Amino acid sequence: MNLNNIRKIICIILLISINYGCSQNTKLGQMKWISKYDFFDLYKKNVSNGNFGPETGLKLTILKFLNENTILLAGSKDLHSFYNKPGYSAVVFISTDKGKSYQEIAFPEETVKFITPSEKYTLIETGSGGNSQSGKVVLYLMNNHTLEYKKIDEYSSKSKIMYSQFNGENVVYSENDNQKIVNLLTKEEIELPDYLKKTPFILKKDNTVTSLLKDEIQEYNLKTKQQRVIKKLKSNYDVLYYENEEYLLGKSGRFKTEMTIYNQNEGELFVENEKTIEYYRYRNFACYFKETRPYVTFYYSYDYGRTWNEYHAKDFFTTTIPKGFYKDQLIVLDVAFYDKNDNSHIIVGEFQK
């Protein structure tokens, strides 16, 4: 037997082993599609010669859940498609019935860049002019119940200003290398102690600031100005996360190409690398999907990705972005159906365990 034939046999054995191993870790999954929405229902008229959909008159780049029933969609509206006028309008759509109906909120700028929702308020960042000399960024605070909004700030898109970690009341304001906490409701400014200005920190909903200092998780109370150790660790870690009301710790690999994630008791949960970095995660739940025409394949797991459920959606196609999740229960997608008679484009699915 010559060398080429030996190589072929080895390749066949490896393929069989790989496929068999994958089949042992993957089982058939199910998805219940609980709502789908056609924007014709909102505008009640034909747009773009009767072929209107989110990918034509609307460019939706942000899909998020506020809670189990409330969905926020955001992006840009092509004014020519709607009103035969030049330009674009920043737009947010809100649904309070799990995607069965939506209400539009328009802004004077061209596009919505980011939204950060909380229980009562949503911080909305809009922009116009890109990064040109005339480019600008405008921030709004929207009341989730009345849908009224007010301008918080406006600045050049070339400036080094950033608002981050909005918790429903306070936000981290950064300009160049300076950081402070700003209350968006009262305009009160809170200075941070020097040690927090030099290390990454997490602003939590209860207005405490948490940081990782050597082998300790420390907490600083913005109101009392008190600092305390809330967790003494057995090992040193590179990163501290606070997600879904639990602490996670990260330790970089030797070549900095992967990160091992641990729980707050320092038990290993999963490894994150360039292949898994885009996974959506909620505690032990993980999800990703592939565009494998003629259908979309969803993979979801309830044990950090050790075993997977596999589901094929055969009547529509979509891209891997944008998408939105609610915990380990719901997903909202911008899709196009193969059946041209079905104009539904925003759909909400419920994962079936």
Side-chain angles (χ1 to χ4, degrees):
M1 185 178 294
N2 63 36
L3 184 59
N4 288 332
N5 288 335
I6 293 174
R7 286 173 175 169
K8 289 179 182 179
I9 292 173
I10 292 173
C11 288
I12 291 171
I13 292 172
L14 286 173
L15 286 172
I16 292 173
S17 300
I18 291 170
N19 290 332
Y20 180 76
C22 291
S23 66
Q24 294 300 296
N25 294 319
T26 304
K27 62 180 181 179
L28 185 64
Q30 295 293 327
M31 187 85 71
K32 181 180 179 182
W33 299 105
I34 59 178
S35 68
K36 53 184 181 178
Y37 186 75
D38 175 7
F39 277 93
F40 276 122
D41 295 339
L42 180 64
Y43 298 107
K44 302 298 183 184
K45 64 180 181 179
N46 290 341
V47 182
S48 295
N49 299 318
N51 295 314
F52 170 70
E55 72 282 0
T56 54
L58 296 173
K59 184 178 180 181
L60 300 176
T61 55
I62 301 169
L63 284 72
K64 287 191 175 184
F65 280 91
L66 174 61
N67 53 47
E68 184 178 4
N69 295 306
T70 306
I71 301 170
L72 294 166
L73 315 176
S76 182
K77 182 177 180 180
D78 182 355
L79 298 180
H80 184 270
S81 294
F82 286 85
Y83 315 114
N84 200 26
K85 296 179 180 179
Y88 297 87
S89 172
V91 65
V92 170
F93 296 96
I94 185 167
S95 170
T96 57
D97 54 10
K98 283 188 179 177
K100 296 179 178 65
S101 64
Y102 287 86
Q103 184 172 345
E104 179 191 83
I105 306 102
F107 298 84
E109 290 72 46
E110 294 176 350
T111 188
V112 175
K113 301 177 70 176
F114 297 102
I115 62 172
T116 309
S118 70
E119 182 181 356
K120 294 182 179 179
Y121 298 96
T122 296
L123 184 63
I124 301 171
E125 180 180 326
T126 66
S128 294
N131 290 319
S132 66
Q133 290 296 330
S134 60
K136 67 176 181 178
V137 175
V138 183
L139 264 80
Y140 297 94
L141 190 65
M142 183 180 75
N143 185 306
N144 295 333
H145 301 290
T146 66
L147 303 186
E148 295 177 345
Y149 59 84
K150 61 179 180 180
K151 184 185 292 188
I152 298 298
D153 200 359
E154 179 176 336
Y155 48 91
S156 168
S157 58
K158 288 186 172 296
S159 66
K160 295 183 179 180
I161 295 175
M162 183 170 60
Y163 288 78
S164 62
Q165 300 198 57
F166 176 61
N167 68 357
E169 179 182 4
N170 290 322
V171 68
V172 178
Y173 174 86
S174 306
E175 185 172 7
N176 297 318
D177 295 327
N178 299 317
Q179 285 187 323
K180 59 185 175 182
I181 306 295
V182 178
N183 187 309
L184 295 184
L185 304 180
T186 66
K187 302 298 184 182
E188 177 189 4
E189 296 184 359
I190 305 171
E191 290 294 331
L192 292 166
D194 289 339
Y195 82 94
L196 280 176
K197 294 178 181 179
K198 301 174 183 178
T199 186
F201 61 82
I202 300 165
L203 175 62
K204 294 167 62 179
K205 291 181 181 179
D206 62 359
N207 290 320
T208 58
V209 173
T210 307
S211 58
L212 180 65
L213 297 173
K214 296 183 179 179
D215 59 349
E216 295 178 344
I217 300 176
Q218 295 193 8
E219 181 181 88
Y220 177 78
N221 190 301
L222 294 175
K223 292 183 179 180
T224 65
K225 313 298 183 185
Q226 298 297 311
Q227 179 184 1
R228 69 186 182 99
V229 176
I230 60 175
K231 184 74 175 180
K232 184 75 174 180
L233 303 171
K234 299 175 184 177
S235 180
N236 290 333
Y237 296 89
D238 300 310
V239 184
L240 173 69
Y241 305 95
Y242 186 74
E243 297 177 354
N244 309 311
E245 300 182 353
E246 63 179 3
Y247 289 107
L248 298 176
L249 299 156
K251 185 179 290 187
S252 299
R254 180 180 177 183
F255 299 105
K256 309 296 183 182
T257 57
E258 62 181 28
M259 176 84 69
T260 303
I261 306 300
Y262 302 81
N263 60 26
Q264 63 184 25
N265 295 320
E266 302 182 76
E268 183 176 333
L269 299 178
F270 58 90
V271 176
E272 200 160 79
N273 51 44
E274 62 179 7
K275 292 183 178 180
T276 64
I277 191 68
E278 296 300 325
Y279 288 8
Y280 165 78
R281 294 186 183 274
Y282 175 81
R283 297 186 176 176
N284 66 329
F285 179 78
C287 179
Y288 71 99
F289 59 91
K290 296 181 179 179
E291 180 72 47
T292 53
R293 295 194 184 189
Y295 49 76
V296 181
T297 302
F298 294 80
Y299 298 92
Y300 60 99
S301 168
Y302 290 95
D303 57 7
Y304 298 101
R306 297 180 184 90
T307 61
W308 293 95
N309 298 279
E310 182 177 339
Y311 169 75
H312 299 299
K314 298 183 179 181
D315 54 349
F316 64 79
F317 59 93
T318 184
T319 61
T320 55
I321 53 175
K323 56 186 177 294
F325 292 89
Y326 176 72
K327 296 186 176 180
D328 58 354
Q329 302 170 28
L330 304 172
I331 184 171
V332 57
L333 292 165
D334 178 356
V335 306
F337 282 81
Y338 287 113
D339 181 358
K340 294 182 179 180
N341 295 320
D342 188 342
N343 293 308
S344 300
H345 292 281
I346 301 299
I347 61 173
V348 177
E350 184 176 62
F351 293 97
Q352 304 294 293
K353 291 187 179 181

